[in-house]
């Protein structure tokens, strides 16, 4: 009996973690490009979300149709999942996220968004039977404390922090967290690019009614077009592409918790490009969140005593 020595290597947990961290590197540019695009064009947060999603969809559609047209096919019964994911995880999220960035700043909005793993971890346990371990609980606690330290400040580099801004950022975190849940549901059946194509297509349709009667933001200065193109291709397509691929290798909760590493990258970029300043307590809060990512990323020896609640010990 011959052994097949040409089989492809099995995707590993480490690959998934690397992909998710790469996604956060690209996502961390979001606040920068949103600020630069809105300030340079005067477009509204809703308008930017619509055009961002529409051009992402069109770019993916052209690319997939040329390179791998078979990826355009989906099952009719899965359309509601794509629709829900597009409307909530992308359409609503981008509006809430753009608004929170403008109200409370890129770095603080990013930190508050890191509450998303709490929603994802609990829902993944309820829906998918993902184990609720001590490591996950510790990582979530660190995320909560880090968020409190970071958001409990009266100012951030001249940005006025308001209750409305905090609430919108928290709503953004919930919408953001739903992407991991929907994405995990679909990742076992579809290619990541197929998922992103239809999700951004439905997100565009969701936001389309809000554009009726609104003036088009064109033409734009060349530099603003470059900022917008970077938002579409770097932040959105590259970021969500890496993350959706990583979901195929990881539990939704682990992927979501790992994605909080975006805080470190966003804080550094906001400091360099936008001049936003993090206080000592905000730095400590950010480090606590990153610490939670490190805890969840260390390989587990699969000690049964580590499980608090589990429907599967895989």
């Amino acid at each position: 009996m011959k052994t097949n020595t040409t089989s492809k290597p099995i995707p590993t947990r480490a690959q998934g973690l690397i992909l998710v961290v790469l996604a956060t590197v690209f996502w961390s540019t979001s606040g920068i490009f949103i600020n630069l695009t809105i300030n340079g064009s005067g477009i509204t947060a809703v308008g930017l979300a619509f055009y961002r999603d529409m051009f992402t969809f069109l770019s993916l559609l052209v690319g997939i149709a040329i390179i791998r047209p078979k990826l355009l096919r989906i099952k009719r019964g899965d359309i509601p999942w794509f629709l829900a994911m597009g409307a909530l995880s992308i359409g609503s999220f981008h509006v809430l996220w753009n608004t929170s960035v403008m109200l409370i700043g890129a770095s603080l909005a990013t930190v508050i968004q890191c509450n998303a793993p709490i929603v994802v971890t609990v829902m993944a346990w309820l829906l998918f039977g993902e184990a609720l371990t001590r490591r996950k609980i510790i990582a979530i606690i660190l995320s909560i404390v880090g968020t409190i330290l970071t958001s409990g400040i009266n100012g951030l580099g001249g940005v006025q922090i308001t209750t409305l801004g905090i609430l919108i950022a928290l709503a953004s975190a919930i919408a953001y967290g739903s992407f991991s849940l929907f994405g995990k549901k679909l990742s076992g059946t579809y290619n990541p690019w197929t998922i992103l194509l239809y999700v951004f297509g439905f997100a565009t349709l969701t936001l389309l009614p809000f554009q009726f009667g609104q003036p088009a933001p064109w033409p734009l200065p060349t530099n603003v077009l470059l900022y917008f193109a970077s938002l579409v291709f770097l932040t959105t397509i590259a970021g969500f592409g890496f993350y959706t691929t990583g979901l195929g290798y990881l539990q939704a909760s682990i992927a979501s918790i790992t994605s909080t590493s975006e805080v470190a990258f966003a804080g550094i970029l906001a400091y360099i490009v936008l001049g936003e300043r993090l206080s000592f307590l905000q730095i400590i809060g950010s480090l606590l969140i990153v610490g939670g990512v490190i805890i969840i990323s260390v390989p587990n020896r699969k000690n049964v005593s580590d499980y608090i609640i589990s429907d599967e010990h895989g």
Side-chain angles (χ1 to χ4, degrees):
M1 183 176 180
K2 294 182 179 181
T3 303
N4 185 1
T5 58
T6 61
S7 60
K8 295 181 180 180
I10 299 174
T12 64
R13 185 171 182 268
Q15 285 177 295
L17 291 170
I18 291 172
L19 287 168
V20 171
V21 171
L22 283 174
T24 66
V25 172
F26 286 99
W27 281 343
S28 67
T29 64
S30 175
I32 306 298
F33 293 133
I34 287 172
N35 265 299
L36 293 174
T37 301
I38 290 179
N39 292 333
S41 64
I43 191 173
T44 65
V46 177
L48 179 58
F50 169 74
Y51 286 107
R52 175 185 183 179
D53 292 350
M54 183 179 70
F55 278 96
T56 297
F57 167 71
L58 293 175
S59 299
L60 289 170
L61 179 61
V62 172
I64 292 174
I66 295 174
I67 300 173
R68 293 186 65 184
K70 290 184 178 180
L71 296 182
L72 296 174
R73 301 172 183 172
I74 62 173
K75 298 176 183 178
R76 184 176 300 178
D78 289 329
I79 291 178
W81 289 101
F82 285 105
L83 174 58
M85 189 175 180
L88 178 61
S89 307
I90 298 297
S92 298
F93 163 64
H94 280 163
V95 173
L96 294 167
W97 168 244
N98 292 353
T99 304
S100 66
V101 166
M102 297 310 297
L103 289 177
I104 60 176
S107 54
L108 180 55
T110 300
V111 173
I112 294 177
Q113 187 174 292
C114 289
N115 283 283
I118 303 171
V119 178
V120 175
T121 300
V122 174
M123 294 304 297
W125 165 57
L126 294 173
L127 297 176
F128 306 139
E130 292 186 3
L132 188 59
T133 67
R134 287 188 177 88
R135 286 190 179 196
K136 291 180 183 179
I137 292 175
I138 292 173
I140 289 173
I141 291 173
L142 290 176
S143 179
I144 294 174
V145 175
T147 300
I148 292 174
L149 287 176
T150 309
S151 61
I153 311 297
N154 293 324
L156 178 61
V159 177
Q160 183 64 40
I161 298 176
T162 64
T163 301
L164 177 61
I166 297 295
L167 291 176
I168 290 176
L170 288 172
S172 171
I174 295 174
Y176 171 67
S178 69
F179 184 91
S180 297
L181 297 171
F182 286 120
K184 188 62 181 178
K185 166 68 178 178
L186 296 169
S187 64
T189 306
Y190 296 99
N191 183 283
W193 298 113
T194 300
I195 297 174
L196 293 180
L197 170 68
Y198 285 98
V199 164
F200 277 95
F202 283 119
T204 301
L205 292 176
T206 300
L207 297 178
L208 179 59
F210 297 98
Q211 296 308 301
F212 295 152
Q214 297 296 318
W218 323 109
L220 293 176
T222 302
N223 63 323
V224 178
L225 282 174
L226 290 176
Y227 300 147
F228 179 72
S230 299
L231 180 64
V232 170
F233 291 101
L234 296 180
T235 304
T236 311
I237 293 179
F240 280 99
F242 279 123
Y243 188 78
T244 307
T245 304
L247 274 175
Y249 304 163
L250 299 170
Q251 293 181 348
S253 54
I254 291 179
S256 184
I257 294 171
T258 304
S259 70
T260 58
S261 59
E262 180 182 350
V263 172
F265 300 116
I268 293 172
L269 287 175
Y271 174 83
I272 295 174
V273 180
L274 300 180
E276 295 184 4
R277 299 294 187 268
L278 291 171
S279 69
F280 175 74
L281 286 179
Q282 288 173 313
I283 293 174
I284 295 299
S286 298
L287 290 176
L288 287 176
I289 295 173
V290 174
V293 174
I294 295 174
I295 289 174
I296 208 68
S297 301
V298 175
N300 195 342
R301 292 178 297 178
K302 294 186 178 181
N303 185 347
V304 177
S305 65
D306 184 53
Y307 289 87
I308 305 299
I309 303 175
S310 173
D311 294 327
E312 62 176 10
H313 288 205

